[in-house]
Amino acid sequence: MRAKLTYAVTAAVLVFYFVLVGSRGVMLIQSGTLVTVTFGIAVLILPVIGIWFLWKNTQFVRNANKLAAELDAEGGLPVDELRRTAGGRIDRDSADEVFARRKAETEDAPDDWRNWFRLAVAYHDARDTPRARKAMQRAIALHDGRPVQV
């Protein structure tokens, strides 16, 4: 719940920022000189890119949560079997062991979105966020029946 609240607050702050920057861009364009119109258009591009980025991330999170809920209903969510340090951090060797198992499962059944979801969790636990995101994107695509990029 805390993560959802943090995401919502961050998204709201970003939207406020986009509106503020967008209004400044419009004001620059309304000034009417070549330089201010050029800067105004450049300033308006930033909120457009930001809104697109926020929208894509929100879609990703919603789709990943949908898969997690479906996998939970099936009883297939990965069990947290990781050892932790005294400070609560995941033990690296433990994460590597679980990752090796998840990778083997995924290689055995590469068309099963459930395996890709569990592999994404293993990547995340191993602190490999870019690969975790790619694995989750693949799980979402497989679940939705969309073509998967190799």
Side-chain angles (χ1 to χ4, degrees):
M1 186 64 184
R2 182 178 176 162
K4 288 181 181 180
L5 182 62
T6 302
Y7 190 82
V9 168
T10 304
V13 168
L14 281 172
V15 168
F16 175 75
Y17 171 75
F18 298 151
V19 169
L20 186 65
V21 169
S23 69
R24 298 299 180 231
V26 169
M27 287 170 47
L28 284 168
I29 291 171
Q30 288 174 343
S31 294
T33 68
L34 180 62
V35 172
T36 60
V37 170
T38 304
F39 280 136
I41 291 170
V43 167
L44 283 177
I45 290 172
L46 294 175
V48 170
I49 293 170
I51 288 169
W52 174 83
F53 183 76
L54 183 61
W55 173 251
K56 294 303 277 184
N57 277 310
T58 301
Q59 278 185 311
F60 175 77
V61 169
R62 289 180 63 184
N63 289 333
N65 285 339
K66 183 176 82 172
L67 263 58
E70 188 173 329
L71 203 54
D72 187 29
E74 295 175 358
L77 276 180
V79 178
D80 186 2
E81 54 190 310
L82 300 168
R83 292 183 304 273
R84 304 199 185 273
T85 64
R89 296 190 65 136
I90 294 172
D91 178 60
R92 183 77 168 166
D93 293 334
S94 175
D96 289 343
E97 290 170 18
V98 172
F99 173 77
R101 282 200 319 267
R102 298 293 183 225
K103 186 176 180 189
E105 291 170 3
T106 304
E107 288 170 349
D108 289 342
D111 294 331
D112 187 359
W113 67 266
R114 293 161 187 86
N115 289 332
W116 283 99
F117 182 94
R118 289 187 281 265
L119 181 63
V121 172
Y123 270 127
H124 177 70
D125 291 341
R127 297 186 198 118
D128 192 347
T129 306
R131 287 192 176 121
R133 188 170 182 88
K134 288 287 186 192
M136 188 61 73
Q137 288 169 340
R138 188 174 191 123
I140 292 167
L142 286 169
H143 178 269
D144 294 346
R146 289 184 283 130
V148 178
Q149 297 174 357
V150 179

